Amino acid sequence: MGKAHFTERNAASLRLEIAHRAARLIAQDHIHDFALAKKKAARQLGHLDSKNLPSNQEVEDALLDYRAIYEPTHGDQVQQLRGKAVKVMQLLEQFQPYLTGSVLSGVAGAHSDINLLLFLEDPKSVELFLLNQRIEYQHIEPPSTARFADHPTLGFWFDGTVVKLHVRPKSAERQIAKREERARLDQVEQLLNQPLVVPAG
């Protein structure tokens, strides 16, 4: 019993160490992929057992700690990015976009992307809209699964920040809601009027 408890404590300590190393990689090397950051951090620490990697939430918590200590202007940066997100969401209001990712969660840095989810019956409608608005965009990522083969991720620059539009089928709206935190325009506007809460150093 005691040995098992000791092993469990060691595993938790190792997860925490990997989470903090991954957070530093994300902040310093501008890595946007949490899975990649965790694997790289584990390798750097000489830990090759992928079964004991920290969760994304543990990495987010570590990243908030890191930014609170080493990036005193972090809160302002997040609010600036949220302000940009509001403007883009207003532009795309007819498509009822959701904000998701690091700008919503509050762990975004100066080089983070703004990620929006759009659930559409016609995936080409948003491309036509961007063309009519003379917004230069590109297909920046292949579909993650065959299920979304006709629903691309589009990217464009807005006020010095990359905006990614993750277009998904309308039928996927409820399923994805269970797995991914997201917010409507009015909710993001409310966030802009609230101070960003960061952990105490």
Side-chain angles (χ1 to χ4, degrees), residues 36 38-48:
L36 176 62
K38 286 188 283 188
K39 290 177 183 177
K40 189 172 181 179
R43 284 198 305 270
Q44 289 183 358
L45 294 169
H47 182 67
L48 303 178

Side-chain angles (χ1 to χ4, degrees), residues 10-25:
N10 276 357
S13 177
L14 180 59
R15 278 201 315 275
L16 186 61
E17 188 176 3
I18 293 172
H20 280 276
R21 178 64 66 92
R24 192 172 75 186
L25 289 170

Side-chain angles (χ1 to χ4, degrees), residues 127 129-140 154-158 161 163 165:
E127 294 192 55
F129 175 83
L130 294 176
L131 287 171
N132 288 335
Q133 294 293 319
R134 297 185 179 179
I135 296 174
E136 294 185 10
Y137 70 91
Q138 57 183 340
H139 292 247
I140 56 175
L154 309 173
F156 59 89
W157 287 89
F158 176 80
T161 298
V163 177
L165 305 181

Side-chain angles (χ1 to χ4, degrees), residues 14-183:
L14 180 59
R15 278 201 315 275
L16 186 61
E17 188 176 3
I18 293 172
H20 280 276
R21 178 64 66 92
R24 192 172 75 186
L25 289 170
I26 292 168
Q28 294 181 351
D29 298 347
H30 314 308
I31 297 175
H32 299 297
D33 187 331
F34 273 36
L36 176 62
K38 286 188 283 188
K39 290 177 183 177
K40 189 172 181 179
R43 284 198 305 270
Q44 289 183 358
L45 294 169
H47 182 67
L48 303 178
D49 181 10
S50 61
K51 295 179 181 178
N52 197 37
L53 293 178
S55 66
N56 285 352
Q57 186 59 56
E58 288 173 310
V59 175
E60 280 200 1
D61 292 343
L63 187 54
L64 279 174
D65 287 341
Y66 180 93
R67 296 201 190 281
I69 295 170
Y70 297 106
E71 300 177 8
T73 61
H74 170 241
D76 293 335
Q77 291 174 350
V78 170
Q79 291 298 72
Q80 287 174 8
L81 287 168
R82 287 175 175 171
K84 292 180 185 181
V86 163
K87 291 179 181 177
V88 177
M89 293 174 80
Q90 289 172 340
L91 177 67
L92 299 169
E93 192 166 11
Q94 70 188 74
F95 301 105
Q96 299 183 304
Y98 291 95
L99 177 64
T100 187
S102 62
V103 175
L104 175 60
S105 67
V107 301
H111 301 277
S112 295
D113 303 331
I114 294 171
N115 290 274
L116 301 178
L117 275 173
L118 280 65
F119 296 96
L120 306 175
E121 296 287 356
D122 178 12
K124 293 292 184 183
S125 59
V126 69
E127 294 192 55
L128 182 61
F129 175 83
L130 294 176
L131 287 171
N132 288 335
Q133 294 293 319
R134 297 185 179 179
I135 296 174
E136 294 185 10
Y137 70 91
Q138 57 183 340
H139 292 247
I140 56 175
E141 294 176 2
S144 56
T145 66
R147 180 185 174 198
F148 300 148
D150 296 326
H151 294 74
T153 294
L154 309 173
F156 59 89
W157 287 89
F158 176 80
D159 193 15
T161 298
V162 174
V163 177
K164 292 182 179 179
L165 305 181
H166 304 276
V167 184
R168 297 293 178 257
K170 188 69 175 175
S171 59
E173 189 166 6
R174 290 188 177 182
Q175 288 79 8
I176 292 179
K178 299 175 182 177
R179 304 193 302 270
E180 192 164 10
E181 184 183 4
R182 62 190 186 177

